[in-house]
Amino acid sequence: MIETRLAKLFESYGYEEVVTPAMEFLETLTIEGGRTVEQDLFKMFDQNNRTLALHHEMTTPIARLAVSRLKNSTLPLKLSYNTNVFRFRRNQPGRQCEFYQAGVELLGASNAAADAEIIALAVESLKSAGLKEFKICLGQVEFANGLMEQNNLSPDEQKKIKIAIERHDIVELEKITNVDALKKLPKLQGGKEILDEAKKFAQSQKSLNALKNLAEIYRLLEIYGAADKITFDLGIIRDFEYYTGMVFEAYAPNVGYSLAGGGRYDHMLKDFGMACPATGFALGIERILLARERQGIFEDFRKKNIYIGYADGFIDAAIKTAAKLRAAGKVAEISLTAQSKEDAEKFQNAKGYDNLIYVDMDYKESQAIFSGVGGKSDG
């Protein structure tokens, strides 16, 4: 399964899997430092009339866990998860109310090396899930922040502009600002030459530092061998109240929404009482499956080695054979009733098993156990 592959990949990078409750106190999920998401939450009351909510993403619960239960751990702290999340929304392709996410959070490192590892791991995750065609669109929220500061825009003007940028609403952006650099921001897309193009608009140190950060991340991604999947998009800012540095989204052909997304969020743990830099990403499993389907990828993740059928009176031998095969690392399903060999072959094919062992008076156990198939009685 995709989830199993991802769990092993995360572990290979040093990330430890954690599990948090499906329900949290409402104030935990709507803590300051992120946009109000209460309208997207499934809410309920406990016996003490306190408001609870199902988690709508995993970064906030993991931040709470890190501060409360893992606060004495050695930093950087690398955590991963595979779980279902819940958001109230209209059902449409790729946007269910309950869906499955896998992802990682890297806490306690603030440099480009941490961000590059997160992006490289996202690239490897999509490859591990079977995707061949996809792109990581990489941006930096501080570049846009610097542009607005250098033009002395009011907080209200900045908020309206950021909302328009986040929604990719170029028409609205044209209406609400006369700043040429901000109008062109959503169009600053392409290879690493875009960073040089963007420097023409950057007058503040904040914007220049953001471009330097992206250049260093890209250099490290070249070493990782992941740079060929990267395209810059300085119009990507995601949730502008939540992210504080690099941000990215993953897209695949013929899928009209992101498959994965993430970025740096250095303020969240401070809201829980512990100042700590952080970065991470999440992948939508159902969206990845849909992208695989639209790319014509139908790999069967299930490992089905051997189906075991048996003649009447041979169930004991069949059970012993199955136990030895499983101990040898094989996936072996045993019939629950006696079958003819012809029926056993039909079940093997219907269930998608690679091999058949049929246990009868001619069955040779030693050959079956060592080869994984059934010698003379092999289907």
Side-chain angles (χ1 to χ4, degrees):
M1 297 176 64
I2 288 178
E3 295 93 329
T4 302
R5 288 189 179 186
L6 291 174
K8 290 180 179 178
L9 177 63
F10 297 160
E11 184 180 7
S12 74
Y13 273 68
Y15 289 79
E16 298 180 86
E17 187 170 4
V18 294
V19 178
T20 68
M23 290 183 291
E24 299 270 0
F25 288 115
L26 179 63
E27 56 265 30
T28 297
L29 299 179
T30 57
I31 195 167
E32 292 183 11
R35 177 177 298 172
T36 301
V37 294
E38 191 168 344
Q39 67 271 16
D40 298 328
L41 301 178
F42 287 93
K43 292 174 284 186
M44 61 210 77
F45 297 98
D46 67 8
Q47 63 269 36
N48 296 316
N49 211 34
R50 293 173 298 185
T51 306
L52 307 174
L54 296 173
H55 54 223
H56 66 295
E57 48 87 32
M58 286 304 296
T59 302
T60 305
I62 287 179
R64 176 197 55 76
L65 174 69
V67 172
S68 61
R69 301 290 183 88
L70 304 175
K71 60 183 178 181
N72 296 321
S73 301
T74 301
L75 298 178
L77 189 60
K78 296 183 173 184
L79 305 175
S80 69
Y81 58 88
N82 276 278
T83 190
N84 51 343
V85 294
F86 308 85
R87 292 181 194 169
F88 184 77
R89 57 185 21 161
R90 292 181 179 178
N91 282 339
Q92 53 184 289
R95 296 179 67 86
Q96 294 82 17
C97 291
E98 179 181 2
F99 52 99
Y100 212 84
Q101 274 191 348
V104 301
E105 310 295 345
L106 200 170
L107 314 177
S110 60
N111 57 8
D115 289 330
E117 177 174 297
I118 286 296
I119 299 169
L121 183 51
V123 170
E124 288 302 313
S125 297
L126 292 169
K127 289 181 178 179
S128 178
L131 288 180
K132 298 177 182 178
E133 297 181 47
F134 64 88
K135 280 291 183 182
I136 301 289
C137 297
L138 178 60
Q140 231 283 5
V141 298
E142 289 293 83
F143 179 74
N145 287 334
L147 291 182
M148 284 182 277
E149 287 181 11
Q150 74 189 33
N151 286 280
N152 299 314
L153 299 180
S154 69
D156 185 59
E157 288 175 311
Q158 291 188 35
K159 184 175 182 179
K160 290 179 180 178
I161 290 170
K162 287 177 177 178
I163 290 174
I165 294 173
E166 185 185 3
R167 294 176 177 172
H168 306 294
D169 192 339
I170 297 177
V171 174
E172 180 65 16
L173 197 58
E174 288 279 351
K175 292 180 181 178
I176 62 178
T177 182
N178 293 319
V179 179
D180 190 51
L182 291 171
K183 291 180 180 180
K184 292 183 178 179
L185 187 60
K187 301 176 184 178
L188 289 175
Q189 305 173 357
K192 61 181 180 180
E193 71 280 354
I194 286 297
L195 300 183
D196 292 327
E197 179 70 19
K199 286 181 182 179
K200 299 175 183 177
F201 305 104
Q203 299 173 12
S204 71
Q205 194 59 47
K206 179 176 287 188
S207 291
L208 289 172
N209 287 342
L211 296 177
K212 289 179 182 178
N213 173 249
L214 289 177
E216 176 61 10
I217 291 173
Y218 187 82
R219 186 188 71 82
L220 294 172
L221 289 173
E222 288 180 313
I223 299 173
Y224 273 108
D228 63 313
K229 293 296 185 181
I230 305 300
T231 183
F232 290 101
D233 186 345
L234 296 178
I236 290 181
I237 59 173
R238 294 177 66 78
D239 185 334
F240 57 83
E241 294 179 1
Y242 179 91
Y243 290 101
T244 61
M246 79 84 186
V247 287
F248 70 91
E249 295 176 346
Y251 291 92
N254 302 315
V255 179
Y257 34 76
S258 65
L259 309 180
R264 176 160 292 281
Y265 55 98
D266 288 344
H267 297 159
M268 174 172 283
L269 272 75
K270 182 179 179 181
D271 294 331
F272 284 101
M274 184 179 80
C276 182
T279 184
F281 74 87
L283 305 106
I285 301 301
E286 288 89 353
R287 293 184 176 191
I288 290 174
L289 291 173
L290 183 59
R292 283 166 47 89
E293 178 183 334
R294 292 182 178 178
Q295 290 185 21
I297 300 170
F298 299 102
E299 175 187 4
D300 190 348
F301 284 94
R302 299 169 300 174
K303 182 174 68 173
K304 290 191 169 185
N305 299 130
I306 302 161
Y307 179 77
I308 302 172
Y310 53 89
D312 190 33
F314 287 87
I315 185 172
D316 295 5
I319 291 172
K320 291 177 182 179
T321 296
K324 291 177 181 179
L325 286 167
R326 292 167 187 153
K330 301 291 186 181
V331 174
E333 178 181 343
I334 184 173
S335 173
L336 299 179
T337 59
Q339 297 173 302
S340 68
K341 187 175 181 182
E342 290 73 20
D343 284 342
E345 289 173 344
K346 291 178 181 178
F347 269 76
Q348 172 208 351
N349 293 326
K351 288 177 169 284
Y353 280 89
D354 296 331
N355 297 291
L356 168 69
I357 288 178
Y358 187 71
V359 183
D360 60 5
M361 62 185 301
D362 296 323
Y363 167 63
K364 297 179 181 179
E365 181 185 79
S366 60
Q367 183 176 350
I369 298 303
F370 285 108
S371 67
V373 295
K376 178 180 176 180
S377 298
D378 174 34

